[in-house]
Amino acid sequence: MARVFSGIQPSGELHIGNYLGAVQNWVKLQYQHDCLFCVVDLHAITQPYDPATLAQRSLDMAIGLFASGIEPARAIVFVQSHVSEHTELNWLLNTVTPLGELERQTQFKDKSQRQESVPAGLLNYPVLQAADVLLYEATLVPVGEDQLQHLELMREIARRWNARFANGFAFPEPQALLSTAKRVLGLDGQAKMSKSLGNTIGLLDPPETIWEKLKPAATDPARVTRKDPGNPDICNIFTIHHGFSPPDTLKLVAHNCRTAGWGCLDCKRVLADNMIAALAPIRERAAVLQADPRTVTDLLRAGADRARAIARRTMDRVRRRMGFLGTPEA
Ligand code: TYM
């Protein structure tokens, strides 16, 4: 069985971009592999944030993951800051990471442009991400397309550490696993769906909100009037349909778009109905967990205990190979 690791930031909302791009895949992978899924709160603090809501956002993200179908009996689900080995390995890997590679990361360039004073943590973000995965010797990392550059750097960091220190133990080079919806655009049809851009549909949005958000959403820009035929292949609404509608419906939608048999609102109504039906059980499970936060924190504590046991083994090996003086036995 391969080991799978992936993470998600507790940015306040699990949206359908995260879900179709990554989390839906995580649910499937838990039946095939040894999986760890992490709420990466240490990554989330590299951007301006409110400490008063961070804990709740981590809890909400965990609730979203469990409600989406991740089963604590099958996968280890935990919060990154509960396993301090992540930050220790992060520091050690900093010493083999080339600064130039960090400065070249697109996400760093984008995010640093939006901040007046750029914290070093934002630059080192991908090193912590490398530590997350390498700590568990994971080989498969299910993510959306926006993470591919970080994955490439992660492999480079593993190679550099191995070249310098491997001796009977070496980090495997992790591979990205993309889903078919590897880049879901936001409702504006322009940028990636992202909480910070306010162009999302939340996984737990109530049915009325889903419909209100879908109604004005961007479609094929060439379809100006109801009579213009459209091209589903360049329509973001059709991409989202793939995540929620069965193959027969997809054919019908594509046909009615190309022949102008339906207007965009007709197409969106079908999508809204399918999306609302698919998300209803997730909302129900989330409501049960929201009413019982103690159970969720217990699950996360147990997840962190299991993760820590693996992480400690790795850190023992890493420390020894990097030449640190061992601590005396108590
Ligand atoms: P984050 O929190 O931004 O997103 C979580 C996952 O959702 C995917 N995703 C999308 N996929 C398709 N279309 C979209 N619009 C969309 N928006 C988000 C992301 O690609 C991601 O897979 N750096 C990571 C978190 C992380 C991590 C890790 C991931 C930290 N450590 C170790 C993998 C392995 C991030 O910010 O994801």
Side-chain angles (χ1 to χ4, degrees):
M1 261 208 297
R3 180 163 289 153
V4 172
F5 184 100
S6 202
I8 188 161
Q9 296 193 63
S11 49
E13 183 192 45
L14 185 55
H15 56 71
I16 61 166
N18 302 134
Y19 181 67
L20 300 178
V23 176
Q24 206 179 34
N25 217 4
W26 300 1
V27 175
K28 284 190 205 132
L29 288 165
Q30 70 181 339
Y31 297 103
Q32 301 154 5
H33 299 293
D34 179 10
C35 293
L36 294 110
F37 300 121
C38 185
V39 177
V40 291
D41 53 353
L42 296 168
H43 278 108
I45 64 166
T46 57
Q47 294 219 272
Y49 78 103
D50 178 7
T53 59
L54 179 64
Q56 186 61 45
R57 282 185 280 121
S58 293
L59 193 66
D60 288 345
M61 187 51 76
I63 288 174
L65 297 182
F66 290 130
S68 298
I70 294 176
E71 298 172 25
R74 291 188 181 276
I76 298 178
V77 179
F78 70 106
V79 175
Q80 189 185 32
S81 63
H82 292 180
V83 181
S84 56
E85 283 74 7
H86 287 249
T87 44
E88 184 181 359
L89 185 57
N90 175 20
W91 178 255
L92 302 183
L93 295 179
N94 269 333
T95 64
V96 296
T97 305
L99 180 61
E101 294 289 336
L102 293 176
E103 287 168 339
R104 263 195 286 283
Q105 297 295 307
T106 321
Q107 293 218 344
F108 170 68
K109 286 197 259 180
D110 285 353
K111 289 181 183 167
S112 57
Q113 264 167 17
R114 286 186 243 145
Q115 296 193 32
E116 221 170 85
S117 158
V118 180
L122 193 62
L123 181 72
N124 288 14
Y125 181 113
V127 190
L128 178 59
Q129 185 161 349
D132 292 343
V133 175
L134 298 180
L135 197 48
Y136 302 97
E137 298 174 72
T139 53
L140 297 175
V141 186
V143 284
E145 196 179 58
D146 59 346
Q147 298 299 316
L148 288 183
Q149 202 186 16
H150 287 170
L151 259 291
E152 232 168 77
L153 177 55
M154 191 182 293
R155 283 195 292 277
E156 171 72 17
I157 293 173
R159 276 196 295 272
R160 284 182 181 246
W161 190 91
N162 289 344
R164 178 87 178 79
F165 302 110
N167 172 10
F169 163 82
F171 288 122
E173 287 182 34
Q175 301 294 322
L177 262 186
L178 290 177
S179 76
T180 41
K182 54 187 190 286
R183 185 166 187 264
V184 179
L185 294 184
L187 297 175
D188 50 8
Q190 305 283 326
K192 179 186 85 164
M193 184 174 282
S194 160
K195 165 84 176 162
S196 61
L197 299 174
N199 60 6
T200 60
I201 292 184
L203 210 59
L204 306 181
D205 276 351
E208 322 75 77
T209 309
I210 292 180
W211 180 233
E212 285 309 313
K213 286 182 175 177
L214 273 180
K215 266 197 295 190
T219 54
D220 171 3
R223 237 192 140 179
V224 182
T225 71
R226 165 74 178 76
K227 284 189 199 136
D228 295 328
N231 178 2
D233 298 331
I234 59 164
C235 177
N236 189 41
I237 293 297
F238 191 58
T239 309
I240 301 177
H241 254 294
H242 278 87
F244 295 101
S245 300
D248 285 354
T249 309
L250 291 178
K251 271 191 211 151
L252 188 69
V253 168
H255 174 76
N256 279 309
C257 177
R258 288 204 168 91
T259 57
W262 285 355
C264 291
L265 263 190
D266 302 317
C267 165
K268 288 173 177 175
R269 188 65 252 178
V270 176
L271 173 59
D273 290 344
N274 290 338
M275 192 186 289
I276 290 164
L279 299 184
I282 298 181
R283 288 186 68 219
E284 279 166 29
R285 283 195 292 267
V288 172
L289 293 168
Q290 276 156 355
D292 185 11
R294 182 64 203 265
T295 296
V296 183
T297 47
D298 285 349
L299 287 173
L300 291 174
R301 188 175 314 119
D305 288 345
R306 291 169 65 197
R308 198 178 300 109
I310 306 171
R312 284 197 171 151
R313 273 202 305 276
T314 308
M315 284 315 300
D316 273 351
R317 293 164 164 170
V318 168
R319 278 192 217 106
R320 245 182 284 136
R321 279 155 186 84
M322 291 184 77
F324 293 106
L325 176 66
T327 45
E329 294 296 324

